[in-house]
Structures are given as C-alpha cells and as structure tokens.
Amino acid sequence: MKALHRKPVESISAGSIVTLCFVACATMAVLSLVWWTFTPVLGRIYAALRLIETASLWRFTGWGRYFTGMPAGQPFAFVSIYQSSAPFGLVVALLTALIGFFAWRKRSRSHIDALITLPPQGFTREEIDSRFMLADRLVRLPDQDQESFAALAKCPNRFKGVRDLMDARAVERVLDDVPWHLAGALALTIDALAPLADRKLREKVLKAVRAAADRHTVNPLCEQPATLLPTLHGALLQVITDQKSRGVAALRQVHTVLETEEDLEAAVSMLASAALTEHRLQFPDYAWLRHVDPNVQSEIATY
C-alpha cells in the first residue's frame, strides 16, 4: 500500500558543506585581521573579560601577567590571544563534558523511561519492590483503616485543666502530652477558626506534618525527627496564646472548646465544625491524617 503522505528525508549536500566551511574560514580570517589591526585596544578588552570570568585569578598566570603588564598603546603578539585561550577553553570543555556526563548518568538511571523499561530478565518481585511503592501504601480501604485504629484510646484534653489559656507558661506545661498528629491537627483547626496574622506558621505546620505522615505511611513504627514535636508544639502554643491582630471573639471560642471537651479528638472536631461555619476550613490541609489517624480525619471530612 502506498503511503498517502511521506515526509521527504532531508540531506545536506556536499555544496552546502563546502559553503559552510568557506564562510567559517572567511569569518576567522576577518576576525584575525581585526585582531591584528586593533590589538592594542582589543587586548585590553580581552584581558578585562578574562579577569572578570576568573574573578581576577587569571592575572596570576603567565598569559595574565603578559596582558596586564603590557604598556598602554603597545601591540600584543598576534598569536597571544589564541595561545592564551587554549588552556581556558580546555578547562571549559572538560567542565562541560563533566556536566554532560552527570546529566546523561541521571537521565539513564532516574528518568521515567529508564524506570519503566523492561529489564532483560523481566520484572521480578524484588525488582518491582525496589522500583515502585506498593499500592497498599498509597491506598487503604476504609474498613482496614478503621480496624487498624479502632483500638487507639482517646487522647485526654490536658488543656481543660489550665486555668488561663492566655498564660503561655501554663499552656506550655501540658504540650508534652499532645501527640504530633493531634498537635498538627489542633494548630491547623485553631488557625482556621482564629487565623494568625503571620500566615507562614500554617505553611510550616503543613510542611512538617505532611513529611511526618509520609514517613509514617512507609513505616508506622519509624522514629520521627527530633525537631518535629518542638516545631508543632511551638506552633500550637502560638495559636492558643497569641492575641496579635486576631479577633477576640474567635479566640475566646477556641478557648471555650479547649476548656470543655474531654479529649483532643473531640476538640479537633468541634474546632473544624466552627471553622466550617466561618467558611475557613480547607479540607486538603487534613488529607495527611488519612493514614495516621483516619478517625480524626473522617470527623473533619464529614462536615
């Protein structure tokens, strides 16, 4: 069958190659003539450019001393610019080759084409486990999640015993009893109901809890970084006690919830419900809870 359309194969003729070579040689001849004619001025410009490129280190080389030490107005040797450029050009060529090697190495090992290419012996179970994350680490059925976390006891609300939640020292004493995931959930829901003026705190909390949840998904028994709890507890302390540029009524509502609820899970649920009423609840902020404590996450997601 004859193809309806066939793109012609483009080829470079011998005449084009000869023409390109002639143009290249003519260009080099003109540039050499310009260098030979204006060498006192161009030599100074060339030296200045080399000094800038090498952060003045070029002056300590032989050719650097030659170009910088030539008296003003004196012509430079015709071959000086070519000979002095050879070492620098060689270094740049080697550096370019090194960068190209690392780029090729990364392309051949980390690119998606290399990851999905079928190896000669086919994909064994070990090969699949080493290349791809197992599906059950990404998706869990709701029944499995509920069974896994059904036995967890509720975390008691220690804030209920604090006389004044505006007292930073008193609040700080009970923070050690708050697990990291509840500290993150409380900080986010409180900030949603009574937003802080500094919006960077929310981003810092989200970054910390999402990274911790990723580690927990891979290995629930893994040890979290030592900086995780201080970061989340510090954020929780700030959202509970900071009064700057915040509505007094919203902050009082937060304190009322913390002073009345028996456990922290219920406090998170109530705070999320109140934030939803004010149209400030952002559900993607709590997606990381799905594989850490789905019971708390489901309480938020049902609103």
Side-chain angles (χ1 to χ4, degrees):
M1 180 181 292
K2 183 178 180 180
L4 297 178
H5 174 74
R6 178 177 296 173
K7 186 177 180 180
V9 178
E10 298 180 358
S11 60
I12 301 176
S13 62
S16 300
I17 297 176
V18 172
T19 303
L20 290 175
C21 292
F22 175 77
V23 172
C25 293
T27 302
M28 292 298 298
V30 171
L31 292 177
S32 298
L33 181 61
V34 171
W35 165 251
W36 180 72
T37 305
F38 302 101
T39 178
V41 177
L42 295 179
R44 299 294 175 186
I45 298 175
Y46 170 75
L49 292 176
R50 278 287 184 258
L51 291 173
I52 294 173
E53 288 176 341
T54 60
S56 299
L57 296 177
W58 188 63
R59 70 171 64 249
F60 300 107
T61 64
W63 283 112
R65 289 190 295 268
Y66 170 76
F67 274 90
T68 56
M70 182 67 70
Q74 293 295 320
F76 295 90
F78 179 75
V79 297
S80 61
I81 190 171
Y82 303 103
Q83 293 179 348
S84 63
S85 299
F88 188 81
L90 180 60
V91 172
V92 171
L94 292 176
L95 181 61
T96 304
L98 183 63
I99 295 174
F101 169 75
F102 283 116
W104 169 83
R105 187 170 179 266
K106 185 175 182 180
R107 163 66 178 79
S108 62
R109 296 186 179 185
S110 303
H111 194 271
I112 185 64
D113 290 341
L115 293 177
I116 66 176
T117 301
L118 185 68
Q121 70 277 13
F123 280 129
T124 61
R125 180 58 183 270
E126 292 75 13
E127 187 74 17
I128 295 175
D129 291 344
S130 63
R131 290 189 178 212
F132 307 101
M133 181 179 289
L134 298 179
D136 61 358
R137 293 183 181 178
L138 298 176
V139 179
R140 293 182 181 178
L141 297 177
D143 293 340
Q144 292 177 341
D145 286 334
Q146 298 299 334
E147 291 175 2
S148 300
F149 292 90
L152 289 180
K154 296 288 186 178
C155 183
N157 179 16
R158 304 296 184 189
F159 298 105
K160 188 176 180 181
V162 178
R163 175 177 295 183
D164 183 10
L165 289 176
M166 299 303 301
D167 186 354
R169 291 186 177 179
V171 173
E172 191 175 11
R173 295 191 188 99
V174 300
L175 290 178
D176 290 338
D177 297 328
V178 182
W180 70 267
H181 67 286
L182 288 177
L186 277 172
L188 291 172
T189 49
I190 293 175
D191 182 66
L193 180 58
L196 288 170
D198 183 11
R199 304 312 302 153
K200 294 181 179 179
L201 182 96
R202 171 179 170 272
E203 298 301 326
K204 183 170 68 172
V205 171
L206 281 174
K207 182 179 180 181
V209 294
R210 285 169 177 169
D214 289 341
R215 287 186 289 266
H216 179 89
T217 302
V218 176
N219 180 13
L221 300 178
C222 70
E223 184 176 355
Q224 296 289 354
T227 57
L228 178 63
L229 279 177
T231 298
L232 296 180
H233 286 168
L236 184 56
L237 177 65
Q238 185 173 348
V239 296
I240 292 176
T241 61
D242 192 356
Q243 305 180 60
K244 297 179 181 177
S245 304
R246 302 173 78 184
V248 177
L251 189 58
R252 189 175 301 162
Q253 188 176 4
V254 170
H255 290 174
T256 300
V257 171
L258 294 178
E259 290 169 353
T260 55
E261 295 299 327
E262 293 295 332
D263 54 76
L264 294 181
E265 290 83 356
V268 170
S269 178
M270 291 300 297
L271 290 168
S273 177
L276 181 65
T277 305
E278 301 295 331
H279 305 287
R280 295 174 184 156
L281 191 66
Q282 301 183 35
F283 292 104
D285 290 354
Y286 309 95
W288 56 272
L289 273 169
R290 184 72 178 90
H291 300 309
V292 180
D293 195 334
N295 296 323
V296 176
Q297 195 267 349
S298 62
E299 287 292 332
I300 300 173
T302 52
Y303 293 120

